[in-house]
Amino acid sequence: MAPSKKQDDDLKKNVEMTEHKEDLGEMEKRLGTNYETGLTTKQVADLQAKWGENKLTPPPETHICIKFILELTDFFSLLLWGGGVLCFVGYGLEGAKDNLYLGIVLFFVVLATGIFSFVQNQKSDSLMKSFANMLPPKVLVMRDGKTGNEDAIKLVPGDIVLVNAGDLIPADMRILECSDNLTVDQASLTGENEAQKRRKECTHDDPLETQNLCFFGTQVPEGSCKGVVISIGDHTVMGRIAKLAMGTDKGQTPINKEIENFIHIISAIAIFLGISFLIINAVGGVPWITNLVFMIGIIVANVPEGLITTVTVCLTLTANRMHSKMVLVKNLEGVETLGSTSCICSDKTGTLTQNIMTVAQIVYGGKNGFSIEDCESSFSKAGATYDVENASFKALARCATLCNVSVFDENSKFETDNAGEFVLKNGEKVPVDFFRMREQGDGSVIREVAWKPVGNASEAAMIKFVHPISNVEAARAVAPPEAVIPFNSKNKYQVHVHVDPAYNDASTTASTPPEEIIAKNKGNRMVYMKGAPERILARCDKMMVDGKVVKMTAEDSKKIDALNMSLAENGLRVLAFCQATLDTRKFPPGYKYTADPDGYCSPNFPIGDFDMKYDAREKKHPNSDEGMVYLGMMALIDPPRPAVPPAVSKCKTAGIKVIMVTGDHPVTAQAIAYKVGILWSKTVGDMEKENDRDGLSPGDEGWQDPEQAQAIVVPGHTISVDMPEEKWDAILAHPQIVFARTSPQQKLVIVENCQRQGHIVAVTGDGVNDSPALKQADIGVAMGIMGSEVSKNAADMILLDDNFASIVAGVEEGRLIFDNLKKSICYTLTSNIPEISPFISQVLFQIPLPLSTILILGIDLGTDMVPAISMAYETAEADIMKRPPRNAKVDRLVTKKLINLAYLQIGIMQAMAGFYVYMVVLNDYGYPPHVLMGLGGNDYWGKQPTFCRFMGGQYVNVAGESNPTAATVGTAAPNVGVLTSGPDMDYPLWDRGDGGYVIDCEFPVMNFNGKGGSLANNAERMDSSKVNDHTAGESTYTYESVKALEARHYYEYVPWRARMSPFWDADWLYYDITEEEAPGGQFGDSVDSMFFSYQPIGMWSICMADSDLSSGKKGAGNRPAQEAKDQINAFDPSTVGCDSSTSMDADSQVWMFSEATFCNGDGRTTGCDSGQNLDGNWHMPNWCTQCGYLNKGTCSSTVDVNTMVPCANVASRMIQKEAQHHAQGAYFISIIVVQWADLLICKTRWLSLRSQGMKNSVMNFGLFFETLLGAWLCYQPGIQMGLGTRNIRFTHWLPGIPWSCLIFSYDEVRKYLMRTTSPESVDKASGQVIRLKGWLERNTYY
């Protein structure tokens, strides 16, 4: 649970404690403990019940089931769930299997995409138990007067704990006793890489600065101590920081915001159009189930169902690519966020630097006197300039070797396996080279020491520097120490007395025991001293120059001091070295060297005390006065990583502000900042110092105005959480910023203020001190090698090689993924227009639906998926790191310009291509474009026969032979005028002949709606007396409505061109109604509502049942086309048996009738074979022994219902249905063809395809994949059943190609004109490319 605002503000304040200032006696009473015996067992039990376990509360985790449910219930998914439910409802009410298939597909889509996203996100989750590793499993505790090992988790306040070198501090402790050399490594807490001295006295009011406290999770590299536990678990300083990290509101990532914004836009469009057309269709009288399914089609056409999967795959692929660059992405969206970054707040230690103390420069007396010489390091960016053969250098190196207790870990000198066991070769351990080369994520290689040093970081740096020059271990082996004075904060020096190996016995080797060497060496001894430069220099009266000892003058001392200051100003930690030779005449063999001889306060050997002042009560030993010989200095620093300066430079070019935020000293931080390029001009402090040094005031010549400084170094003590925003704004207005000596709480506030200014902030860090800021940042980047587990848990990504330069690679990848997501979305959205326009056209123009809902899903989740995903593999365009950071308020993932290009430009051209192909196919199968309007309304297409007027042409049989006895037409010659007679069963097909054409077409008016209920089986459906006026509540056409059409010369249309199609089936002329037509079709076991909503197998006559037309109900349930209304209005019912002066319409509204007589030629209904002669009509079924065109000889006008069955002529509607399936399949293929061009133009947003090239092998595969998949969906028989596709002709693939070429050419010209009208210039100050946007770029660059 996140903390309240008050709690959050409290957490952001610096640590407030008083235990470090509390009297130890008072503390002992308050805690109820005993410093000598510890707590009692009963006290421990009581305190454990009160305080709980000594562990940090782990971060909360969302249950895996909740995560899965969330993946299935995003807004797109909810739309599709709702659509699927409506499809199942429609299937339940009407039995249309198309609705069943669509519902199943929609449900499958949601489940498949949800499962995929869930699996990908689960893979990316870092399931680290972040805090367990901070707690040592066992700790030495004193209880009941006895000391023993206890589980650290069971510690309680008041426990007395003993800690030794190498141990982790198990809880916050107040030191009771400690060794002089006790140090604590607080890098994980404060960011300082130097171990901090500890003592039992309070030395500072700030608990983080005082030396008498040790904090949970820190480490003891040297020394030992006894302490009392003052806080455990969440109550420790570390626990407080961890709580702050967990309680920080992370907020949405930019890519999440963009995707949500995109979903809202697309969903709003989908819902608006869906509801709009729902209302339009409802007003038009479309059945509500049909209307709802139509609305589903509108929504499905608008919603890019594969988008979320595409985004997830793109992010995952990018994350995998980044992993190869040593960047582990925990949060997939974090990749893109890094690309949006406008500000990087970076820790120094271990991030910009190597977190390895290194000797950067040295000073010794060479041939030309004392001078600064460079060592090989990334700090100096130069090779070594010192002379390894110079005697003075050798003396300095020898002193650094012997006055030093740091050693190399023996285990690190040999190869080990993954289990930590030594690798053996021929029974011997395999040695490891001193140096090794390590490749970093950016491809650069750094040289590092493979042997692990143990001990103080500064001393470790010295032996790593000396060892390649002179074997440290060999030098120490032959020169053992006789006395050691450890370093302490009071004296600030360290002293060793060693034998001089020049006087060793001839038999001495490296394996000779130290005691034996000392006993046999009868020569001089050497005193070696190192320490603070000012302390060492003050103890020297001589110096070594070019191997010779000479007297040190005041001028020499001043010069050496100046060199020291020069090193210190560069942020280097400087140690000076000196030595003295102990003559055997004064210090004979066997002399007992001691630091505090009886009665004296100084050692009994020379340490340069000649000018030292002691307390009057203390007596100095006379031997300590002898002056020392000054050898030189070593300057140490944690050097910057070699790859960091160019990485920072690249950030500046890309317009990204890099801010250093560190717990280190301001001088050191400033020096590193200059080295890596975060600072490059004078700071405010530098200007103030120079003004003071030169005595300048405002108005004086040469005075520098600090307010005009571009750089600033801000110490942590000058800022606070309560500081007004105006002051923060003034600080953050500087382009070059370093924050030094910052606390974890201050780092968090710095990040918040950067975000307040509108920055997308990335924070890098490795310590626990960084974790709150890592959590608060838009993107948190932790260090994989040196990083604490807490920081890794708080971060979104982890640099496995701890290399800041990898962040720049991440920025480029982030920008690339945003670019590629834009391209992928643009590619995906363009097909929305050709997907939705068929539905809009069907409503507006009443044409047969050009594209089905399931085929839309075939595009979105099939053919478009791989090409859309292939965008993730697209390489960056040349200018990607020259652009300024993305402005999240303006440069959205989906912009108006992208919508404009995708929908109103490319999308419209694609839709035009689709409609063109659709009309070509229907025209090829007998339905020219001009007759289509009006035929797609009311769901008649493919269900009812079409009636058309023909100008010329002729009726032909299945073989294409015309009727030789055909009468002339109208008053014109045959084949020229309007046909005035209809087809018959021998010549059922119309052929255009020479110049004939279809004038227009209509469906018969549905003007009869009979009784509801159901018929038991097909036998009853074939019995006219059973059917009678039964229509299962469905409206159907009648004999009268057909006659009304024929009176206007509209005749049933069976196109000859369809006869020449691949789908023609002559059996349609004699179809067995007991056979299942197709899934969702009329015949077979279809439900009554489905059976009677199709072409009737017979004919209803209204006039036979209701001659005075009294059952008419004006306009009820019928919305015929206007042309059909005119036909009914002009029709005289008396010509077909109704009473004279009757009418089937009134006020231009067609009447719906509820009484009619059904005839189908079975002879069971009286009157069907007389008067109107329905039984002999072309529209009636043929009664045959066996149905089928080849069995038409078994048909007879004499019907025996026991041996014969009705064979329906369904050719007209089946041709409609099949022609539409072919046209829809061709429309589907045309989208694939134009998507070829769309994919190519979406490869780039700025460059020409010629510049970008076709190197994306995945995209090249995607082009083949979508083509092959489209072909498979069209030509695979099993798939055709569900998708409604057919084996379309090869020639119907071709009409879309010219449109594809048009789209490609259009966009290439657009980009060319955009580039030529947007000139570029380079800002000389920053190197950033500035582009003056032309009209085309402002309006079309998405």
Side-chain angles (χ1 to χ4, degrees):
M1 181 176 178
S4 66
K5 186 178 187 306
K6 182 178 184 306
Q7 290 173 321
D8 191 50
D9 290 340
D10 289 342
L11 285 170
K12 290 176 187 174
K13 294 178 181 177
N14 287 331
V15 176
E16 295 179 0
M17 296 175 63
T18 59
E19 287 88 345
H20 59 300
K21 296 186 285 187
E22 188 176 358
D23 178 74
L24 283 174
E26 292 296 323
M27 180 180 286
E28 186 175 29
K29 293 178 182 177
R30 180 173 62 80
L31 294 175
T33 189
N34 185 300
Y35 294 153
E36 301 302 324
T37 62
L39 296 170
T40 65
T41 303
K42 183 179 184 309
Q43 284 179 305
V44 170
D46 293 341
L47 289 169
Q48 285 175 344
K50 177 181 179 181
W51 294 102
E53 294 183 328
N54 177 34
K55 65 177 183 179
L56 301 183
T57 303
E61 291 186 6
T62 305
H63 194 277
I64 190 170
C65 295
I66 301 298
K67 290 181 181 179
F68 182 65
I69 291 172
L70 291 174
E71 294 290 352
L72 297 177
T73 53
D74 61 71
F75 200 76
F76 276 177
S77 297
L78 291 175
L79 284 177
L80 298 181
W81 280 124
V85 169
L86 291 176
C87 286
F88 289 132
V89 170
Y91 170 71
L93 294 176
E94 289 191 340
K97 291 186 179 179
D98 285 349
N99 291 341
L100 173 64
Y101 296 149
L102 180 56
I104 292 172
V105 170
L106 289 176
F107 274 31
F108 174 78
V109 165
V110 180
L111 283 170
T113 55
I115 291 171
F116 181 83
S117 297
F118 172 75
V119 170
Q120 290 298 328
N121 286 321
Q122 282 300 106
K123 284 182 180 179
S124 71
D125 282 346
S126 179
L127 302 178
M128 298 179 294
K129 302 303 179 183
S130 61
F131 305 110
N133 293 339
M134 297 187 61
L135 192 64
K138 295 285 185 180
V139 65
L140 202 57
V141 183
M142 182 182 293
R143 290 176 179 170
D144 294 320
K146 298 177 182 178
T147 302
N149 286 314
E150 293 287 346
D151 291 331
I153 202 170
K154 295 180 180 179
L155 286 181
V156 295
D159 263 327
I160 307 302
V161 177
L162 303 177
V163 179
N164 296 302
D167 290 346
L168 282 173
I169 300 295
D172 285 359
M173 293 169 34
R174 170 79 179 268
I175 297 174
L176 301 176
E177 301 172 7
C178 68
S179 61
D180 289 341
N181 63 338
L182 175 65
T183 56
V184 176
D185 181 0
Q186 296 194 144
S188 65
L189 183 64
T190 64
E192 291 181 285
N193 60 310
E194 274 289 317
Q196 304 298 303
K197 181 69 179 173
R198 283 294 177 263
R199 60 201 300 182
K200 71 176 186 177
E201 294 83 17
C202 177
T203 59
H204 203 287
D205 286 342
D206 188 338
L208 293 178
E209 296 290 341
T210 189
Q211 295 184 357
N212 65 339
L213 293 181
C214 296
F215 298 103
F216 169 80
T218 59
Q219 191 172 25
V220 179
E222 191 176 6
S224 60
C225 76
K226 173 183 175 182
V228 59
V229 175
I230 56 176
S231 299
I232 64 169
D234 290 336
H235 302 285
T236 62
V237 172
M238 200 73 78
R240 178 188 176 91
I241 295 171
K243 184 177 180 183
L244 183 58
M246 287 187 291
T248 304
D249 182 12
K250 185 68 177 176
Q252 279 187 302
T253 62
I255 191 65
N256 268 335
K257 294 176 185 176
E258 292 301 326
I259 291 174
E260 185 177 273
N261 176 63
F262 170 68
I263 288 174
H264 288 162
I265 292 172
I266 297 301
S267 300
I269 294 173
I271 293 172
F272 170 76
L273 290 175
I275 293 176
S276 297
F277 284 103
L278 180 75
I279 295 170
I280 292 171
N281 285 339
V283 172
V286 176
W288 72 275
I289 286 295
T290 304
N291 202 357
L292 284 175
V293 173
F294 181 84
M295 183 183 74
I296 294 166
I298 289 283
I299 292 174
V300 169
N302 270 283
V303 174
E305 292 80 9
L307 175 70
I308 301 302
T309 301
T310 301
V311 170
T312 303
V313 171
C314 287
L315 290 172
T316 302
L317 290 173
T318 304
N320 291 337
R321 193 159 59 230
M322 289 186 70
H323 189 270
S324 68
K325 297 180 180 180
M326 304 302 287
V327 180
L328 173 63
V329 178
K330 289 173 56 187
N331 179 2
L332 292 180
E333 290 88 352
V335 182
E336 191 284 324
T337 308
L338 191 57
S340 307
T341 297
S342 60
C343 177
I344 299 176
C345 292
S346 176
D347 186 33
K348 177 186 74 68
T349 306
T351 309
L352 298 171
T353 64
Q354 300 177 30
N355 200 21
I356 302 171
M357 285 300 283
T358 303
V359 177
Q361 293 176 315
I362 61 173
V363 174
Y364 66 91
K367 292 179 180 179
N368 299 315
F370 284 88
S371 62
I372 297 175
E373 304 294 339
D374 288 332
C375 301
E376 190 174 357
S377 75
S378 59
F379 179 82
S380 60
K381 299 181 182 178
T385 60
Y386 53 82
D387 181 5
V388 295
E389 299 300 327
N390 187 277
S392 293
F393 172 80
K394 289 181 178 180
L396 176 65
R398 184 166 54 250
C399 184
T401 299
L402 298 179
C403 191
N404 190 322
V405 296
S406 186
V407 296
F408 292 111
D409 182 2
E410 286 298 315
N411 291 338
S412 69
K413 298 178 184 179
F414 302 96
E415 289 186 13
T416 57
D417 56 23
N418 293 332
E421 300 294 330
F422 288 113
V423 176
L424 300 179
K425 187 174 182 180
N426 298 325
E428 298 290 333
K429 291 186 284 190
V430 179
V432 170
D433 291 337
F434 184 73
F435 288 112
R436 67 180 171 201
M437 307 305 291
R438 179 161 63 89
E439 183 176 353
Q440 301 187 104
D442 62 348
S444 63
V445 178
I446 61 172
R447 189 177 78 159
E448 61 184 12
V449 175
W451 294 5
K452 181 180 178 182
V454 178
N456 178 278
S458 297
E459 292 193 336
M462 293 173 196
I463 64 171
K464 287 190 294 182
F465 167 68
V466 173
H467 189 79
I469 302 167
S470 174
N471 189 295
V472 168
E473 291 159 341
R476 289 176 176 176
V478 296
E482 290 195 56
V484 173
I485 301 177
F487 181 91
N488 64 64
S489 57
K490 178 182 177 182
N491 296 330
K492 294 189 176 180
Y493 61 72
Q494 178 178 344
V495 182
H496 286 213
V497 179
H498 288 257
V499 300
D500 186 344
Y503 299 98
N504 278 348
D505 184 78
S507 62
T508 301
T509 65
S511 59
T512 304
E515 301 81 7
E516 184 178 333
I517 295 176
I518 293 171
K520 290 183 177 181
N521 188 311
K522 305 300 182 182
N524 299 337
R525 269 39 176 177
M526 299 295 297
V527 178
Y528 296 109
M529 176 185 285
K530 78 169 186 289
E534 66 279 6
R535 297 293 179 92
I536 298 300
L537 187 60
R539 293 176 179 275
C540 297
D541 57 4
K542 297 177 285 295
M543 61 184 184
M544 183 178 289
V545 178
D546 199 22
K548 299 174 183 176
V549 177
V550 298
K551 185 175 177 58
M552 181 184 289
T553 65
E555 188 65 28
D556 293 328
S557 179
K558 187 176 181 181
K559 180 181 178 182
I560 291 172
D561 189 53
L563 293 173
N564 171 43
M565 292 301 296
S566 175
L567 294 172
E569 286 174 358
N570 281 331
L572 299 169
R573 182 168 189 260
V574 185
L575 291 172
F577 300 82
C578 62
Q579 69 179 32
T581 302
L582 303 183
D583 194 294
T584 54
R585 289 171 293 182
K586 190 173 182 179
F587 302 96
Y591 185 85
K592 300 299 181 184
Y593 300 96
T594 179
D596 50 355
D598 291 341
Y600 296 98
C601 64
S602 63
N604 62 354
F605 54 87
I607 60 167
D609 261 355
F610 59 87
D611 201 25
M612 300 297 112
K613 305 297 182 184
Y614 286 88
D615 191 293
R617 293 169 295 178
E618 296 179 326
K619 186 179 180 181
K620 211 171 32 166
H621 196 288
N623 288 351
S624 68
D625 277 348
E626 186 178 333
M628 307 291 287
V629 178
Y630 190 83
L631 299 177
M633 293 177 282
M634 287 190 177
L636 301 94
I637 196 167
D638 179 9
R641 295 175 177 274
V644 167
V648 172
S649 176
K650 205 168 186 180
C651 285
K652 289 187 287 188
T653 302
I656 300 169
K657 189 173 187 176
V658 182
I659 299 174
M660 180 190 288
V661 185
T662 179
D664 215 336
H665 193 279
V667 175
T668 305
Q670 181 173 324
I672 294 295
Y674 276 116
K675 286 293 180 181
V676 300
I678 292 175
L679 299 181
W680 62 92
S681 60
K682 290 182 180 179
T683 67
V684 172
D686 289 340
M687 289 185 176
E688 290 173 345
K689 286 179 182 178
E690 291 179 12
N691 288 337
D692 292 341
R693 182 193 64 198
D694 299 333
L696 299 176
S697 301
D700 294 342
E701 184 178 352
W703 181 78
Q704 302 173 83
D705 186 358
E707 292 186 2
Q708 299 300 315
Q710 298 296 299
I712 187 171
V713 177
V714 185
H717 66 82
T718 64
I719 58 177
S720 69
V721 66
D722 301 323
M723 195 165 74
E725 291 183 356
E726 294 77 13
K727 190 171 181 180
W728 276 110
D729 292 341
I731 292 172
L732 295 176
H734 293 83
Q736 308 161 48
I737 306 174
V738 170
F739 289 97
R741 280 284 190 242
T742 56
S743 67
Q745 292 78 8
Q746 288 171 332
K747 190 166 188 176
L748 174 58
V749 176
I750 290 167
V751 172
E752 289 179 334
N753 277 280
C754 289
Q755 290 174 322
R756 180 179 56 80
Q757 289 198 331
H759 285 293
I760 301 297
V761 183
V763 170
T764 71
D766 61 348
V768 175
N769 63 315
D770 299 317
S771 57
L774 289 171
K775 195 75 172 179
Q776 172 64 34
D778 296 286
I779 177 73
V781 185
M783 303 298 111
I785 299 173
M786 304 303 297
S788 68
E789 296 298 319
V790 177
S791 67
K792 291 176 186 176
N793 182 77
D796 300 292
M797 61 179 59
I798 300 169
L799 302 183
L800 299 178
D801 61 352
D802 288 10
N803 186 6
F804 177 86
S806 298
I807 299 173
V808 180
V811 170
E812 186 166 353
E813 286 291 345
R815 291 187 174 193
L816 177 61
I817 193 64
F818 191 80
D819 254 21
N820 287 347
L821 281 177
K822 264 183 174 285
K823 295 171 184 177
S824 183
I825 287 173
C826 186
Y827 169 80
T828 304
L829 289 185
T830 50
S831 62
N832 275 16
I833 294 301
E835 287 173 357
I836 193 175
S837 52
F839 293 91
I840 296 175
S841 299
Q842 186 186 31
V843 172
L844 296 181
F845 306 114
Q846 301 283 293
I847 63 173
L849 186 64
L851 188 69
S852 68
T853 305
I854 286 187
L855 283 178
I856 291 173
L857 292 174
I859 296 167
D860 291 348
L861 296 172
T863 59
D864 271 0
M865 188 66 77
V866 172
I869 291 172
S870 73
M871 286 294 182
Y873 293 89
E874 192 61 34
T875 55
E877 294 183 57
D879 67 334
I880 196 165
M881 286 302 285
K882 295 179 182 178
R883 306 173 194 164
R886 181 172 69 86
N887 184 341
K889 295 181 180 178
V890 178
D891 191 5
R892 311 298 295 268
L893 186 63
V894 179
T895 61
K896 292 179 182 178
K897 289 181 280 187
L898 188 149
I899 295 292
N900 179 290
L901 181 70
Y903 280 5
L904 302 183
Q905 297 175 56
I906 308 302
I908 286 178
M909 284 188 272
Q910 288 193 348
M912 292 170 67
F915 279 102
Y916 175 71
V917 174
Y918 162 80
M919 291 178 183
V920 165
V921 173
L922 287 182
N923 184 71
D924 285 351
Y925 295 141
Y927 299 97
H930 70 274
V931 306
L932 297 177
M933 290 183 64
L935 297 182
N938 294 316
D939 195 28
Y940 294 162
W941 184 271
K943 292 185 175 182
Q944 309 297 342
T946 314
F947 287 74
C948 301
R949 287 191 298 163
F950 310 107
M951 179 63 73
Q954 58 193 349
Y955 294 108
V956 296
N957 61 20
V958 172
E961 301 165 342
S962 61
N963 186 351
T965 62
T968 57
V969 290
T971 59
N975 220 25
V976 179
V978 176
L979 287 180
T980 57
S981 61
D984 57 38
M985 289 305 298
D986 292 324
Y987 297 92
L989 296 95
W990 179 82
D991 176 30
R992 62 190 299 269
D994 296 326
Y997 63 90
V998 180
I999 301 173
D1000 61 346
C1001 298
E1002 294 291 345
F1003 287 110
V1005 175
M1006 306 293 142
N1007 60 347
F1008 172 61
N1009 191 294
K1011 294 187 297 185
S1014 63
L1015 298 176
N1017 48 46
N1018 277 320
E1020 291 189 355
R1021 290 175 180 175
M1022 292 185 288
D1023 186 338
S1024 61
S1025 64
K1026 296 286 186 181
V1027 174
N1028 197 13
D1029 58 354
H1030 177 97
T1031 65
E1034 298 293 328
S1035 298
T1036 185
Y1037 65 84
T1038 61
Y1039 176 74
E1040 289 76 13
S1041 60
V1042 169
K1043 282 300 180 181
L1045 284 170
E1046 291 181 345
R1048 299 287 298 273
H1049 308 305
Y1050 285 85
Y1051 302 105
E1052 187 169 337
Y1053 180 37
V1054 182
W1056 165 255
R1057 303 187 78 169
R1059 162 66 183 85
M1060 304 307 295
S1061 70
F1063 58 76
W1064 168 256
D1065 186 352
D1067 287 345
W1068 289 338
L1069 295 169
Y1070 296 88
Y1071 198 87
D1072 186 349
I1073 68 170
T1074 63
E1075 293 183 10
E1076 185 178 13
E1077 174 188 323
Q1082 175 183 20
F1083 302 127
D1085 296 326
S1086 61
V1087 297
D1088 279 359
S1089 59
M1090 179 66 66
F1091 185 88
F1092 287 103
S1093 66
Y1094 278 71
Q1095 171 186 358
I1097 311 306
M1099 190 75 70
W1100 276 275
S1101 171
I1102 298 171
C1103 291
M1104 286 179 63
D1106 182 19
S1107 60
D1108 61 357
L1109 304 181
S1110 59
S1111 68
K1113 300 176 182 177
K1114 186 173 75 170
N1118 189 33
R1119 297 290 185 272
Q1122 186 61 45
E1123 182 66 23
K1125 294 177 185 177
D1126 295 342
Q1127 292 162 11
I1128 292 294
N1129 180 256
F1131 177 62
D1132 181 4
S1134 64
T1135 61
V1136 290
C1138 283
D1139 297 344
S1140 59
S1141 302
T1142 55
S1143 175
M1144 290 190 165
D1145 73 323
D1147 301 326
S1148 298
Q1149 288 291 315
V1150 175
W1151 286 5
M1152 179 67 71
F1153 296 88
S1154 58
E1155 293 181 10
T1157 299
F1158 183 71
C1159 301
N1160 67 356
D1162 63 359
R1164 291 167 172 162
T1165 302
T1166 304
C1168 287
D1169 57 350
S1170 62
Q1172 300 170 35
N1173 194 28
L1174 293 185
D1175 282 351
N1177 194 281
W1178 147 267
H1179 304 290
M1180 300 293 284
N1182 290 284
W1183 286 80
C1184 312
T1185 305
Q1186 187 175 355
C1187 293
Y1189 181 76
L1190 297 178
N1191 300 315
K1192 64 180 181 179
T1194 67
C1195 302
S1196 173
S1197 58
T1198 303
V1199 177
D1200 181 355
V1201 295
N1202 295 316
T1203 61
M1204 304 175 76
V1205 293
C1207 300
N1209 175 10
V1210 295
S1212 178
R1213 73 172 187 82
M1214 291 300 288
I1215 289 172
Q1216 297 169 41
K1217 180 178 178 180
E1218 287 300 312
Q1220 183 183 24
H1221 281 311
H1222 277 256
Q1224 287 179 341
Y1227 192 111
F1228 169 72
I1229 292 298
S1230 75
I1231 293 179
I1232 293 174
V1233 172
V1234 292
Q1235 283 291 75
W1236 295 343
D1238 188 27
L1239 188 64
L1240 296 180
I1241 69 174
C1242 287
K1243 274 175 67 73
T1244 65
R1245 295 198 292 150
W1246 181 257
L1247 297 178
S1248 166
L1249 178 64
R1250 189 174 71 173
S1251 301
Q1252 188 74 355
M1254 293 293 293
K1255 299 177 182 178
N1256 187 343
S1257 59
V1258 179
M1259 183 174 289
N1260 297 338
F1261 168 75
L1263 286 168
F1264 286 100
F1265 172 83
E1266 66 175 334
T1267 307
L1268 294 175
L1269 179 60
W1272 185 73
L1273 294 177
C1274 282
Y1275 297 107
Q1276 177 64 27
I1279 297 295
Q1280 291 175 344
M1281 190 78 68
L1283 295 185
T1285 52
R1286 295 294 186 268
N1287 299 336
I1288 64 172
R1289 289 175 176 169
F1290 174 73
T1291 54
H1292 291 155
W1293 283 71
L1294 304 179
I1297 292 178
W1299 293 93
S1300 190
C1301 295
L1302 173 65
I1303 290 169
F1304 178 77
S1305 301
Y1306 169 83
D1307 199 67
E1308 281 290 296
V1309 171
R1310 179 186 68 85
K1311 289 173 186 171
Y1312 171 76
L1313 294 176
M1314 189 166 62
R1315 292 192 301 273
T1316 55
T1317 57
S1318 298
E1320 293 181 348
S1321 61
V1322 178
D1323 186 342
K1324 294 181 180 179
S1326 65
Q1328 187 174 350
V1329 174
I1330 300 174
R1331 194 158 66 212
L1332 184 62
K1333 296 180 180 180
W1335 183 89
L1336 263 177
E1337 181 178 358
R1338 291 195 305 272
N1339 290 278
T1340 68
Y1341 181 67
Y1342 62 91

